[in-house]
Amino acid sequence: MSDVVSYQCEDGIGVITIDNPPVNALGHAVRAGILEALDQGMADDSAQALMIIGGGRTFPAGADIREFGQTPKEPALPDVINRLEASDKILVAAVHGTALGGGMEITLGCDYRVALDSAKMGLPEVNLGLLPGAGGTQRLPRLIGARAALDAIVSGKPMKAAQLEKMGVVDHVVSGDLKSEALAYAKQLVADGAARRPVRDRDVEKESADVFSDYAQSIARKKRGFLAPFHCIKAVQAATELDFDAGLKRERELFTELLNSPQSAAQRHVFFAEREVAKVPGIAKDTAKREIKQVGIIGAGTMGGGIAMNFLNAGIPVRLLEMKQEALDKGVAIIRKNYEATAKKGRISSEQVEKCMALLDTTLSYDDLAEVDLVIEAVFENMKVKKEVFGTLDRVCKKGAILATNTSTLDVDEIARATSRAEDVIGMHFFSPANVMKLLENVRGEATSDEVIATVMDLSKRIGKVGVLVGVCYGFVGNRILHKRQSQAVSLVNQGATPAQVDKVLYDFGFPMGPFAMWDLAGLDVGYRIREGLRESDPANAPARNWLDELVEADRYGQKTQAGVFDYAEGDRTPKPSDVTAAEIEKYRAEQGIDTREVGDTEILERCLYVMVNEGARILEEGIAMRPLDIDIVWIYGYGFPVYQGGPMFWADQIGLDKVLAKIKQFYDETGHDDWKPSPLLEKLANEGKGFGDL
Ligand code: NAD
């Protein structure tokens, strides 16, 4: 008898219970156990109907992902579900918790579905670059129609019990004790002489081919580059055009294509990596965490306001501090405006707006920060100002308060030394817009305590961010790598490419925009001010002037002035090539005596991405990032690296580090530029025939 699936006849109903904590994942033992229990139930004369239910906190929440990539072991889930569906007794699924993926597909193999009111069901396979491959794409359209099935399968979103009942997936929603309610329901079915009703026998409403091509069109922009959503559409279309068995076969073909695709491998990598970044090697899971009940934020500018919203959204009160009342008023007004804009789009209610705003209060006095549990500083990017702020915080804040800085470039250790409690100081580097971007680089200083790190990593999750722990260096992980890529982008243009060509290559790779459009979005003036600062403070090491400086001095700041590297029509963010920029580039090339040449797309991609890989490897050598997957997640959530490429380090492994290294060496030979000096770690891995994934 299986130890993860049991069978027992209760009151004339044969109950199959899946008990495989924590989430009843559908691993091999569970699949085999279900069939064993099914046979018992069918042979049990005292059972007039059968019921399948999850033990513990949920109905099966999906496949056992650990089995991905291993040789499949019989029985496969599609066969298990086909057998359930062929049972000669009425079969009722009793659902609580989250019946996701294969879990939901099991319920579709049953005749009737009962769900607890708190239950959720869904087919999230698309998020792993897959499609529901155990009959889900064939059965769901038969139950609720192709259009509703497309929404559920292509979005992958979980649905609530009430919604599922309305759609016709769930027959009966219950509250209280699921098992006794579902038993009563099954007994009633028996008493009523209810018939078996396998979903496979239902007719599916015919839809014209246009429905599917229109659907593909409607998601074309949002899902650009992804394979799985479009395969999902093809599979649902097959359900409307083929008989059930042929449809299942088509589903299997499409599923197998996805399973073997580099995209799904990348998306599965990202899925695991996102969970892994939360675990910090060397910091025990049970490390004590400090309670964060109230947060102080210093500076109500672009970042301070956005940062505040994250905490308000999570129900954590925020006290915002500024130097002047006008700045406070302006900051608070922007926060309100942002909330109201979201409410206008129907994404939150006006009550929620007021609830968030009620959690916000303001002050001009540092003394009012005496009792907060965490302070996040978001004042001007200036070491002197930051040191003053931290010196003051050290004086006023209670013992045990965490003191965080949102600096993008300054040395967190130097800031920490302005206090007498460096162990309580950490970087929390939010990305702009801070209320939207999911990435949070948490910067560990040399003295930051484990307790502070554990608290901040945990808090990141609480406020809906993906927190990645990084070390102190200029630009941390994300911007340090970005600088290298941007500098290649400029160099490619200097040599003969156009900004539009460079941008198109990276856009086609899957980035939401290219390097130059990104600059225009962030504002060319930001980098200009940093460069000018360096030219003043450290002229010997400051970057040489180039055509970007000329653009800024001609008041071309980017989108905000409707002119930057590209031109922008009013109210339109679409970049258009600019004659002014072309002339500045031409002038620069002439001044520098550059003989331009035709630059190919392959070279653009290789130079922009390989330089990132080399810098990523150096970051690993220096211990600034703990693992390659930390770099991947930073780039996916902070810079729009396409999920289906898996992040720069994963992507490099797919290319093969020997190939990447050979090109890097070639670029180094050609340019002698330090950025192309091969990272010893990269060389070592490539020489050993390994990848970053082997670290
Ligand atoms: P900002 O100029 O929009 O806002 C800074 C605010 O701080 C201003 O409102 C100013 O009045 C206030 N301020 C300055 N000194 C103060 C003091 N001593 N006490 C109280 N308030 C003070 O700047 P920002 O873009 O929000 O940047 C803030 C910080 O965040 C900087 O360290 C910056 O490097 C970092 N950062 C910015 C971005 C971005 O994209 N803007 C992204 C990540 C991190």
Side-chain angles (χ1 to χ4, degrees):
M1 188 63 212
S2 162
D3 51 7
V4 286
V5 182
S6 60
Y7 173 81
Q8 203 174 6
C9 189
E10 298 182 34
D11 237 355
I13 308 295
V15 181
I16 299 169
T17 307
I18 301 169
D19 216 340
N20 182 30
V23 295
N24 289 324
L26 294 162
H28 172 254
V30 172
R31 299 194 303 270
I34 292 174
L35 287 189
E36 212 177 300
L38 177 68
D39 287 341
Q40 266 184 290
M42 291 210 281
D44 182 352
D45 291 338
S46 60
Q48 294 165 292
L50 302 177
M51 182 172 114
I52 185 162
I53 189 167
R57 59 178 153 99
T58 184
F59 201 80
D64 188 339
I65 312 182
R66 285 170 306 184
E67 287 184 5
F68 277 143
Q70 295 178 6
T71 324
K73 259 168 112 183
E74 302 280 315
L77 189 61
D79 300 331
V80 172
I81 296 176
N82 289 342
R83 287 272 308 279
L84 287 171
E85 195 174 43
S87 133
D88 55 10
K89 292 179 182 171
I90 287 183
L91 181 56
V92 176
V95 181
H96 72 309
T98 44
L100 298 178
M104 177 165 179
E105 288 179 294
I106 287 186
T107 73
L108 300 177
C110 299
D111 298 299
Y112 297 88
R113 281 153 292 277
V114 179
L116 202 56
D117 49 8
S118 57
K120 285 184 185 165
M121 289 165 74
L123 296 169
E125 285 84 348
V126 71
N127 299 323
L128 296 178
L130 297 170
L131 55 77
T137 66
Q138 303 305 299
R139 292 192 177 92
L140 196 59
R142 284 177 161 74
L143 210 52
I144 62 173
R147 291 170 198 238
L150 281 173
D151 286 340
I153 294 170
V154 175
S155 78
K157 284 195 188 129
M159 298 160 283
K160 292 183 181 159
Q163 186 189 356
L164 289 158
E165 188 180 32
K166 218 156 132 199
M167 292 165 86
V169 176
V170 166
D171 301 290
H172 187 48
V173 176
V174 300
S175 52
D177 180 51
L178 173 69
K179 190 168 169 189
S180 54
E181 294 289 339
L183 277 173
Y185 182 78
K187 279 194 282 187
Q188 192 60 48
L189 288 174
V190 173
D192 294 346
R196 290 215 52 237
R197 42 169 215 184
V199 175
R200 62 170 290 142
D201 295 343
R202 296 191 185 207
D203 287 332
V204 59
E205 222 175 287
K206 293 276 170 273
E207 296 284 3
S208 79
D210 289 349
V211 167
F212 300 98
S213 53
D214 289 352
Y215 201 91
Q217 197 56 42
S218 73
I219 61 161
R221 221 183 126 111
K222 214 166 149 210
K223 300 289 176 191
R224 178 175 65 92
F226 283 92
L227 210 60
F230 300 94
H231 269 45
C232 288
I233 297 174
K234 286 183 196 159
V236 173
Q237 182 167 8
T240 66
E241 291 172 350
L242 305 175
D243 68 42
F244 186 78
D245 289 321
L248 275 189
K249 208 168 141 238
R250 179 77 181 125
E251 176 191 271
R252 183 88 330 228
E253 284 164 9
L254 290 165
F255 177 83
T256 308
E257 258 177 49
L258 289 176
L259 187 65
N260 297 330
S261 71
Q263 282 209 356
S264 176
Q267 285 180 258
R268 280 178 276 143
H269 162 72
V270 174
F271 179 86
F272 286 116
E274 189 178 331
R275 276 145 193 82
E276 209 56 32
V277 287
K279 301 177 199 152
V280 180
I283 296 191
K285 222 176 141 193
D286 58 359
T287 303
K289 294 179 193 79
R290 299 186 190 169
E291 227 183 321
I292 306 295
K293 287 191 296 201
Q294 202 195 358
V295 176
I297 293 175
I298 308 185
T302 313
M303 295 307 287
I307 294 170
M309 291 175 74
N310 292 296
F311 291 94
L312 303 175
N313 295 341
I316 303 171
V318 171
R319 184 161 288 169
L320 196 54
L321 181 144
E322 261 288 350
M323 292 183 294
K324 294 211 177 84
Q325 189 61 41
E326 299 91 274
L328 265 184
D329 293 345
K330 194 172 153 211
V332 172
I334 292 173
I335 294 177
R336 176 170 278 283
K337 204 174 117 211
N338 281 339
Y339 275 127
E340 283 174 354
T342 315
K344 222 170 169 181
K345 288 183 198 143
R347 291 205 214 120
I348 53 171
S349 66
S350 45
E351 290 81 59
Q352 278 168 302
V353 175
E354 296 313 321
K355 212 170 136 198
C356 287
M357 291 307 293
L359 289 171
L360 178 67
D361 76 1
T362 59
T363 181
L364 295 171
S365 162
Y366 278 86
D367 291 334
D368 288 335
L369 300 183
E371 290 306 317
V372 299
D373 306 297
L374 161 73
V375 182
I376 302 174
E377 163 279 310
V379 305
F380 302 133
E381 186 74 343
N382 176 301
M383 184 54 96
K384 194 166 156 272
V385 180
K386 304 243 186 216
K387 278 179 156 174
E388 270 170 28
V389 168
F390 275 76
T392 313
L393 290 175
D394 190 31
R395 271 201 321 278
V396 303
C397 289
K398 70 178 179 189
K399 193 170 162 279
I402 296 176
L403 310 180
T405 170
N406 180 47
T407 182
S408 328
T409 55
L410 301 174
D411 182 344
V412 175
D413 290 322
E414 195 178 335
I415 295 174
R417 284 193 289 272
T419 74
S420 62
R421 34 171 134 173
E423 66 281 6
D424 291 335
V425 177
I426 190 167
M428 289 178 78
H429 182 218
F430 288 81
F431 285 67
S432 183
N435 54 322
V436 176
M437 296 295 289
K438 278 193 73 166
L439 179 65
L440 181 52
E441 276 184 325
N442 292 321
V443 189
R444 155 200 245 159
E446 58 192 5
T448 312
S449 75
D450 286 1
E451 203 176 291
V452 168
I453 292 171
T455 305
V456 167
M457 290 298 283
D458 188 61
L459 183 66
S460 309
K461 211 183 296 169
R462 239 176 104 197
I463 61 171
K465 300 287 177 203
V466 179
V468 180
L469 189 67
V470 302
V472 176
C473 69
Y474 187 83
F476 311 125
V477 169
N479 284 340
R480 175 167 157 182
I481 293 178
L482 178 71
H483 287 162
K484 301 293 174 191
R485 187 192 75 173
Q486 299 298 79
S487 123
Q488 284 306 311
V490 173
S491 158
L492 285 158
V493 167
N494 292 344
Q495 287 170 36
T498 63
Q501 184 195 2
V502 173
D503 272 18
K504 183 172 184 313
V505 170
L506 287 155
Y507 178 82
D508 289 346
F509 178 76
F511 279 100
M513 66 189 87
F516 293 105
M518 185 175 165
W519 246 324
D520 276 354
L521 177 67
L524 293 174
D525 53 319
V526 180
Y528 175 81
R529 263 185 272 122
I530 295 173
R531 291 193 295 277
E532 282 294 290
L534 288 171
R535 283 170 196 142
E536 218 167 89
S537 63
D538 188 9
N541 294 310
R545 278 181 64 89
N546 66 23
W547 50 272
L548 284 168
D549 296 300
E550 300 288 343
L551 293 182
V552 175
E553 284 167 12
D555 292 333
R556 297 182 67 95
Y557 290 3
Q559 279 193 23
K560 58 187 161 191
T561 54
Q562 279 175 248
V565 175
F566 299 108
D567 287 335
Y568 298 87
E570 191 162 354
D572 185 358
R573 291 162 177 267
T574 320
K576 306 256 172 13
S578 151
D579 292 341
V580 178
T581 302
E584 285 298 347
I585 294 170
E586 222 25 83
K587 197 173 99 201
Y588 178 80
R589 287 169 178 160
E591 281 165 9
Q592 301 290 317
I594 299 171
D595 274 337
T596 54
R597 60 182 173 89
E598 202 159 306
V599 178
D601 289 354
T602 308
E603 181 182 343
I604 292 176
L605 191 70
E606 287 175 346
R607 281 180 50 186
C608 286
L609 294 192
Y610 289 175
V611 83
M612 292 174 55
V613 175
N614 201 37
E615 196 63 20
R618 291 177 182 174
I619 282 173
L620 288 169
E621 277 161 25
E622 294 168 27
I624 299 294
M626 292 176 295
R627 299 151 297 195
L629 61 88
D630 293 295
I631 301 177
D632 287 339
I633 291 297
V634 163
W635 264 76
I636 283 170
Y637 286 113
Y639 303 84
F641 199 99
V643 176
Y644 57 79
Q645 307 275 17
M649 310 316 272
F650 180 87
W651 176 79
D653 278 359
Q654 306 309 296
I655 301 290
L657 294 192
D658 50 343
K659 271 197 198 150
V660 174
L661 177 65
K663 272 287 171 187
I664 287 176
K665 280 183 169 162
Q666 179 198 321
F667 295 140
Y668 189 47
D669 288 344
E670 286 167 8
T671 63
H673 198 293
D674 191 52
D675 288 356
W676 289 119
K677 192 168 179 202
S679 133
L681 174 67
L682 176 64
E683 283 193 306
K684 180 172 172 288
L685 289 172
N687 292 339
E688 289 170 357
K690 290 185 178 160
F692 291 110
D694 296 312
L695 284 175

